[in-house]
Amino acid sequence: MNYRILGKDLEVSAVGLGCMGMSHAYGAPADRKEMTELLAQAVDMGYTFFDTAEVYGTAENPHDNEELVGKALKPYRKKIVLATKFGIHFDMTSPQVNKPLIPDSRPEVIRASVEASLKRLGTDHIDLYYQHRPDPAVPVEEVAGVMAELIQEGKITHWGLSEATEETTRRAHAVCPVTAIQNRYSMMARWYEKLFPVLEELHIGYVAFSPLANGFLTAKYGKDARFEAGTDYRTAMPQFKPEAIDQNRELIDLLYRVADEKNATPAQISLAWMMCKKPYLVPIPGTRKLDRLKENASAADLVLTQEEIDKLDQALERMEMSEVFGGSQIARK
């Protein structure tokens, strides 16, 4: 595994592990014992960057993922980076499988959240603490002020923003330096590339969530793919609909072609494409499977030249694709 720096000084593995899917959004939670073993195997492989959030769980256990991650990684705490998030809860009255998000970043809510997350994670500090989504009712400067206090108190060491825009990032950074933004990014979701110059100017890292378009870019899903009704967001994601398989055939063919040339897999090409593009960009694909964990880690060793990246970008620019899941709806209650 290779390593990268987010912001000024936060060293993380070049590929991180998004832990959400072990508990949330991809069917019923996985077996706790199996996931505990998988997390230990990730550490053995060189993963040091683990991402969770206070809301990754189920109706029965809303904080399942933080509890899992905290307990499983406790033996390795001194050599890993733990990232978690505050600032949203779900609208549980909604019938949607991917329930709308309700932002809430009031200072008193943030303080209650950090204490609860510290307890569930079994740690005295959080290495990277993200505002999960912007809250229109709370200026980001106020959020950044609370982050500065939490850093001073030693409860967090770095902070970041998720699904951030240039304006929000600049405003937040002016109050308390931002270490990383965590935004969606993949070959099918490139709308945040316009942030790259801003991040370079301010020395902020980019943590890419859904770097494989929720698994679609592994090229393992066809029209016969079936997902668990009621608990798997993929049942509602446009890229997994039968007609989208046809619409995205050119993209999948491109991935297979480049993968053959590089003796790699489509998923590894998708990850290497972004890692080789920017040195401060760290993807955090999720998985419940050991072979996928190994495959993703090996992508950090794959080198694409600037010419190869440019060719891929040019192909993606002119390519017809289906819509891709862009995130849960934001609601206000």
Side-chain angles (χ1 to χ4, degrees):
M1 180 71 78
N2 299 317
Y3 297 86
R4 297 189 162 200
I5 301 294
L6 296 175
K8 290 183 178 178
D9 60 1
L10 186 61
E11 185 179 75
V12 298
S13 48
V15 178
L17 179 57
C19 301
M20 179 186 78
M22 296 174 179
S23 307
H24 178 84
Y26 289 85
D31 180 80
R32 182 71 70 97
K33 183 174 180 292
E34 289 179 12
M35 293 304 98
T36 298
E37 291 171 358
L38 188 68
L39 286 161
Q41 289 167 317
V43 175
D44 287 343
M45 275 178 224
Y47 283 88
T48 63
F49 190 29
F50 296 86
D51 183 88
T52 182
E54 65 176 348
V55 292
Y56 295 159
T58 64
E60 296 73 32
N61 186 5
H63 311 297
D64 182 83
N65 202 242
E66 278 192 337
E67 292 172 1
L68 163 67
V69 169
K71 190 172 181 182
L73 294 176
K74 194 169 183 63
Y76 316 104
R77 182 65 186 99
K78 290 185 178 178
K79 61 182 191 179
I80 64 163
V81 171
L82 277 179
T84 193
K85 312 178 195 74
F86 67 88
I88 61 168
H89 59 275
F90 294 107
D91 178 4
M92 299 307 289
T93 66
S94 170
Q96 293 174 231
V97 60
N98 53 331
K99 300 189 184 307
L101 309 176
I102 301 171
D104 190 349
S105 284
R106 290 172 293 165
E108 63 271 25
V109 172
I110 296 173
R111 287 200 163 270
S113 288
V114 74
E115 295 298 342
S117 288
L118 286 168
K119 187 174 180 180
R120 285 189 291 267
L121 292 168
T123 185
D124 63 356
H125 73 281
I126 293 162
D127 300 299
L128 181 53
Y129 200 38
Y130 296 105
Q131 182 186 29
H132 209 150
R133 291 292 183 273
D135 184 347
V138 180
V140 74
E141 290 86 352
E142 190 171 351
V143 175
V146 177
M147 295 299 107
E149 292 169 2
L150 293 178
I151 289 170
Q152 192 170 20
E153 293 163 21
K155 291 178 179 176
I156 69 173
T157 59
H158 303 77
W159 84 288
L161 302 160
S162 186
E163 293 288 64
T165 62
E166 176 180 350
E167 181 198 7
T168 306
T169 303
R170 286 189 182 280
R171 286 168 54 197
H173 190 75
V175 176
C176 181
V178 173
T179 291
I181 62 160
Q182 184 183 132
N183 285 9
R184 186 178 303 275
Y185 187 49
S186 73
M187 285 184 166
M188 297 184 76
R190 299 175 61 198
W191 47 82
Y192 284 121
E193 288 183 342
K194 61 189 176 186
L195 288 180
F196 291 165
V198 181
L199 302 180
E200 287 159 20
E201 174 194 338
L202 301 178
H203 303 290
I204 295 172
Y206 191 127
V207 177
F209 75 86
S210 298
L212 298 173
N214 308 99
F216 185 82
L217 296 175
T218 62
K220 299 292 186 184
Y221 296 94
K223 294 181 181 180
D224 57 348
R226 296 290 177 266
F227 306 109
E228 197 172 309
T231 56
D232 196 321
Y233 284 17
R234 288 171 295 187
T235 57
M237 290 181 183
Q239 69 266 37
F240 291 100
K241 295 191 180 303
E243 60 272 20
I245 304 301
D246 293 327
Q247 288 175 290
N248 296 316
R249 178 54 53 198
E250 187 181 357
L251 173 58
I252 297 302
D253 287 346
L254 172 67
L255 285 173
Y256 269 120
R257 193 162 60 248
V258 179
D260 285 344
E261 292 170 4
K262 290 289 185 177
N263 193 26
T265 66
Q268 288 171 334
I269 296 301
S270 299
L271 296 173
W273 164 78
M274 63 176 70
M275 285 189 284
C276 294
K277 186 174 282 200
K278 298 294 179 182
Y280 53 82
L281 204 155
V282 177
I284 52 167
T287 188
R288 299 180 175 193
K289 298 175 181 176
L290 179 59
D291 60 345
R292 188 74 69 211
L293 193 70
K294 291 176 180 175
E295 180 182 349
N296 294 341
S298 295
D301 299 321
L302 188 59
V303 177
L304 298 179
T305 66
Q306 188 60 53
E307 183 181 2
E308 289 169 330
I309 292 167
D310 291 344
K311 282 184 179 178
L312 282 168
D313 282 344
Q314 290 160 15
L316 294 171
E317 287 287 349
R318 61 174 181 263
M319 195 176 287
E320 293 284 337
M321 297 182 199
S322 75
E323 289 185 33
V324 64
F325 182 62
S328 299
Q329 175 189 348
I330 304 289
R332 175 152 292 283
K333 290 271 179 173

